[in-house]
Amino acid sequence: MKTLTKKGKLLLVLTCLLYSGESVLLAGMAYQKVKVVEYAEAQSMKTMLWAMLLAIILALLDYLLTAAAAWSILSFLANGELNMKSGIMKSILRRPLKSFRGEEDAFYLNLLTTDIQLYREEFLNMIPYLFSSLAAILSSAVMLFLLSPWLLLAAVLMAAVPMVFTKPF
């Protein structure tokens, strides 16, 4: 069953880009805040003010990206849900009457409500978050490397230790 139309695919790409951009922007904001503190400690007022202005601009841009990402994800989810419901209805209406009556009403109601909700939450909703998480990991690694390669190494080691030294199930 085809669940993503051309519009749905475009909304998916837009949503993934907006969520990924938001993740990168959050890492950039953290980096910029560190720079503001560094300039303040160095008593470089003019540079610190410019860094603060850039931090404010990044915060406003983050607000806009968050709003656009919220609109985009809601549009994408609604489109995917509508296409799935449409496909299910077409499939139900193509069934022979004897086969259609073989199922109880609860089966069809469950199919159009609970199963669609699971599809929306467990499949459609996870795709943008996967891209967002990947962008967050990569942008955080870049920002840590820019601050200090030793910070990046420490973060990688702290993330690797639990994965290596866990008990098998």
Side-chain angles (χ1 to χ4, degrees):
M1 183 180 303
K2 186 177 178 184
T3 57
L4 289 179
T5 60
K6 187 173 184 177
K7 178 183 176 184
K9 290 176 185 176
L10 289 173
L11 283 169
L12 173 62
V13 170
L14 177 65
T15 303
C16 289
L17 288 174
L18 287 171
Y19 271 93
S20 298
E22 191 177 1
S23 296
V24 170
L25 193 60
L26 286 174
M29 286 172 52
Y31 177 77
Q32 192 60 31
K33 289 174 187 174
V34 168
K35 287 298 181 186
V36 168
V37 171
E38 283 180 6
Y39 295 139
E41 287 175 347
Q43 296 180 350
S44 177
M45 265 321 207
K46 187 174 181 180
T47 311
M48 184 191 74
L49 290 174
W50 281 109
M52 285 178 64
L53 179 64
L54 182 58
I56 291 169
I57 290 170
L58 288 175
L60 292 174
L61 188 58
D62 180 57
Y63 178 74
L64 292 174
L65 267 179
T66 301
W71 171 85
S72 179
I73 189 76
L74 290 175
S75 298
F76 168 67
L77 293 175
N79 182 275
E81 187 176 333
L82 181 66
N83 288 330
M84 181 59 92
K85 282 182 180 179
S86 175
I88 289 172
M89 286 303 296
K90 285 178 187 175
S91 175
I92 289 171
L93 294 174
R94 285 189 190 129
R95 296 177 77 179
L97 187 57
K98 188 175 185 176
S99 172
F100 177 77
R101 288 189 176 169
E103 300 289 343
E104 293 186 21
D105 293 343
F107 171 78
Y108 297 112
L109 288 173
N110 185 51
L111 191 60
L112 290 171
T113 56
T114 307
D115 292 350
I116 292 293
Q117 190 66 25
L118 282 172
Y119 169 73
R120 177 184 173 135
E121 291 173 4
E122 302 296 327
F123 180 70
L124 290 179
N125 208 18
M126 290 300 128
I127 299 169
Y129 289 116
L130 177 69
F131 282 94
S132 173
S133 298
L134 184 63
I137 290 169
L138 292 175
S139 60
S140 297
V142 169
M143 294 305 158
L144 284 173
F145 182 79
L146 289 175
L147 290 172
S148 170
W150 292 108
L151 278 175
L152 176 60
L153 180 64
V156 168
L157 289 175
M158 287 190 314
V161 167
M163 288 187 271
V164 173
F165 295 109
T166 57
K167 286 198 242 180
F169 291 95

